[in-house]
């Protein structure tokens, strides 16, 4: 999917978000669930019925229960799904997000990109795809 930032210094910057491979996504989810469980996070049986917003809220709370050492690689791996489209008139030209290029200058942009990555990977569960 394509995401266009709407806030502050990042307004108008365009990003491409792609899915992880099935095996990478499965490993990511397994590592996340194991980290949550090892920190005493109780995963409700009816979590799927809470919809995407409920899952997202639960995930944020659960990540807050992890140590930074456990959460950091998961957060970093999410960003492997995000690329920068430097020139929106050439959407096929994409590159990795770079700190030195000031691709993302607002914390809110990073948060919104993470939300879009999460949504891309979980929407099939809530739209009848599974």
């Amino acid at each position: 999917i394509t995401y266009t930032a709407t806030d502050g210094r990042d307004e108008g910057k365009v990003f491409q978000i792609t899915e992880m491979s099935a095996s990478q996504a499965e490993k990511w989810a397994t590592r996340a669930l194991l980290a949550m469980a090892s920190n005493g996070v109780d995963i409700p049986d009816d979590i799927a019925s809470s919809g995407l917003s409920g899952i997202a809220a639960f995930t944020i709370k659960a990540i807050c229960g992890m140590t930074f050492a456990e959460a950091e690689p998961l957060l970093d791996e999410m960003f492997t799904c995000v690329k920068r489209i430097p020139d929106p008139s050439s959407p096929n030209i994409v590159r990795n997000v770079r700190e030195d290029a000031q691709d993302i200058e607002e914390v809110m942009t990073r948060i919104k990109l993470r939300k879009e990555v999460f949504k891309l990977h979980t929407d099939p569960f809530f739209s009848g795809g599974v």
Side-chain angles (χ1 to χ4, degrees):
I1 62 169
T2 301
Y3 174 81
T4 302
T6 58
D7 296 310
R9 295 168 290 180
D10 293 332
E11 186 173 358
K13 292 179 183 177
V14 181
F15 300 87
Q16 179 186 70
I17 302 172
T18 57
E19 286 182 274
M20 294 176 188
S21 69
S23 62
Q24 181 184 9
E26 178 188 32
K27 289 175 185 178
W28 186 94
T30 301
R31 288 194 327 270
L33 289 171
L34 290 171
M36 290 176 207
S38 71
N39 285 292
V41 174
D42 184 32
I43 301 169
D45 291 335
D46 64 344
I47 189 71
S49 67
S50 65
L52 184 58
S53 61
I55 295 276
F58 169 78
T59 302
I60 290 168
K61 287 180 187 177
I63 288 174
C64 290
M66 292 181 199
T67 66
F68 185 71
E70 292 168 316
E72 184 179 26
L74 294 168
L75 294 171
D76 289 347
E77 191 170 355
M78 286 181 87
F79 251 80
T80 65
C81 299
V82 180
K83 305 284 186 217
R84 177 81 157 89
I85 301 174
D87 180 1
S89 66
S90 299
N92 293 328
I93 300 173
V94 297
R95 62 171 170 74
N96 291 333
V97 172
R98 296 184 2 222
E99 294 286 333
D100 64 331
Q102 297 180 327
D103 284 338
I104 302 174
E105 299 178 75
E106 302 289 347
V107 171
M108 188 54 65
T109 301
R110 292 184 62 85
I111 292 169
K112 288 180 178 181
L113 285 165
R114 285 189 198 287
K115 178 182 172 189
E116 292 298 321
V117 169
F118 186 79
K119 183 179 173 188
L120 180 64
H121 287 86
T122 57
D123 264 358
F125 292 104
F126 304 104
S127 62
V130 172

